[in-house]
Amino acid sequence: MLGLKKEFLGKKQRIIAVTRTKINCYEELQPKEAILHRDITRFELKEGGFTVYYQGKGKDITFLCDRREDILTHLKATYEDQHGVQLPRFPIHKVTRKGERYDCILAVGSSRLHFISKPASHHDTVHDLRQIVEIKKIVPAEPPGALEPTAIARGLVLTLANHRKYRFDSEQADNICHLIMEGIKSLGLTVPFSQSDHDGGEPFMALARTPTKNSKVFEMTLEKECRSHNGIELRPRSLVIMGAQVLERDPATHRTLACHDLSEIWSIVRYTDNPNRFALEYTNENDKN
């Protein structure tokens, strides 16, 4: 990493080490400067790097580096922890692939998202904003005959680098989206953004691509082994391959219960004791169908 200070002419090669309390700057493996996290006031993007402003003798230092989003993610998260920053919190309804909804709190930081379960449990998760590769805003369709656009976003779908999707509903979806986009921008990153209508009765149809004339649609009716308090139950399902996705539907109502990209399938198991029995295993969750 290359560190520059305004009062110096030229560039000095430096290595920085970030600890829980400070940033240590080394030159030729010798400690030259230490910046306490509690003294940092703000970060600013620069071409090819970033500047750290802090209270002290030097007041600012600029670093030129590769993959600055990784360093800034860690610095911003540590800054929020050290300064006790109260992150904006929003009540949301998280939607699972099976269409189940449960309440939780989403805290949006400058570099991280915190999903906090209600009531508190060990299922709380934290994701870096740098992991987000796509954002989709879900808005209701305009009613027929509407004179002016009145649609307000009511949900978001976040796609992460590991192909995992997070779908949640919230009356504050627009504010959440704005904060997430601003955080990603502050890391020097950009992500694809889109907006689509969404039918609340089909929570995951928004994730399924609309088939084109050249899309091959394959559908078969089968029985799925579902775990319940009574043990394993066989329930009727329709398995649909549509374009690059595989959908699981209720054959009676045609309601979509789950949706996966074909690229998420890492194993297809066929049982030797029963050739008509098989399992699909996915990479992005502990799910076997």
Side-chain angles (χ1 to χ4, degrees):
M1 175 169 291
L2 209 55
L4 293 82
K5 295 193 69 174
K6 285 186 176 179
E7 60 266 37
F8 293 158
L9 296 176
K11 301 176 181 178
K12 294 196 174 185
Q13 189 76 29
R14 289 186 176 181
I15 297 174
I16 68 169
V18 182
T19 69
R20 296 186 63 181
T21 58
K22 59 186 176 181
I23 305 173
N24 292 312
C25 301
Y26 297 87
E27 186 177 320
E28 296 180 353
L29 300 182
Q30 297 298 318
K32 289 296 182 182
E33 190 169 8
I35 305 171
L36 297 177
H37 288 297
R38 66 169 183 263
D39 292 335
I40 295 176
T41 57
R42 63 189 176 95
F43 304 93
E44 184 178 306
L45 291 176
K46 297 290 185 181
E47 185 176 357
F50 62 93
T51 298
V52 179
Y53 293 89
Y54 60 96
Q55 300 172 356
K57 182 179 178 181
K59 293 188 178 180
D60 68 82
I61 183 170
T62 299
F63 295 101
L64 303 180
C65 56
D66 296 326
R67 300 189 65 82
R68 63 181 174 183
E69 65 272 13
D70 296 336
I71 303 170
L72 278 173
T73 293
H74 187 64
L75 287 176
K76 285 173 172 283
T78 306
Y79 171 87
E80 291 173 345
D81 293 340
Q82 290 291 318
H83 287 257
V85 176
Q86 296 296 317
L87 302 181
R89 295 191 171 205
F90 304 90
I92 65 173
H93 302 290
K94 203 169 178 183
V95 185
T96 69
R97 286 190 174 273
K98 296 180 180 179
E100 300 170 343
R101 295 159 59 91
Y102 61 91
D103 297 337
C104 66
I105 298 294
L106 175 62
V108 184
S110 60
S111 66
R112 297 178 297 181
L113 296 178
H114 304 253
F115 289 92
I116 306 168
S117 300
K118 292 173 62 179
S121 71
H122 63 281
H123 295 298
D124 297 349
T125 57
V126 179
H127 295 285
D128 294 339
L129 295 182
R130 59 180 171 170
Q131 294 178 298
I132 299 175
V133 297
E134 183 181 4
I135 299 175
K136 179 182 288 186
K137 185 189 292 186
I138 306 301
V139 297
E142 291 291 339
L147 299 179
E148 296 181 0
T150 58
I152 299 175
R154 68 181 186 189
L156 293 174
V157 178
L158 304 179
T159 303
L160 306 186
N162 60 359
H163 302 295
R164 189 177 184 89
K165 290 183 173 70
Y166 279 90
R167 163 79 163 87
F168 58 87
D169 294 334
S170 172
E171 295 180 355
Q172 298 293 320
D174 280 316
N175 292 334
I176 295 172
C177 185
H178 173 74
L179 290 175
I180 292 175
M181 296 292 284
E182 286 297 309
I184 291 173
K185 183 179 177 181
S186 73
L187 297 176
L189 300 173
T190 58
V191 297
F193 172 81
S194 62
Q195 182 172 300
S196 69
D197 296 336
H198 184 269
D199 183 352
E202 291 285 284
F204 276 95
M205 282 304 294
L207 302 183
R209 299 180 181 89
T210 302
T212 63
K213 293 182 179 179
N214 296 324
S215 296
K216 291 185 179 180
V217 179
F218 169 81
E219 183 171 355
M220 65 179 297
T221 302
L222 43 75
E223 291 183 320
K224 181 181 178 182
E225 296 181 356
C226 300
R227 295 182 178 86
S228 69
H229 62 278
N230 294 324
I232 301 295
E233 296 181 355
L234 295 179
R235 299 176 184 175
R237 292 288 187 265
S238 291
L239 186 67
V240 182
I241 298 177
M242 182 182 298
Q245 295 184 317
V246 55
L247 283 69
E248 178 188 334
R249 288 177 173 169
D250 183 337
T253 63
H254 300 288
R255 180 172 179 265
T256 300
L257 303 175
C259 175
H260 295 273
D261 289 337
L262 290 176
S263 60
E264 296 175 7
I265 300 176
W266 70 274
S267 176
I268 301 177
V269 180
R270 190 173 185 183
Y271 295 86
T272 56
D273 58 339
N274 184 356
N276 292 325
R277 184 168 177 252
F278 67 95
L280 302 179
E281 297 180 344
Y282 301 99
T283 58
N284 65 339
E285 57 185 60
N286 296 322
D287 190 13
K288 180 186 290 187
N289 293 320

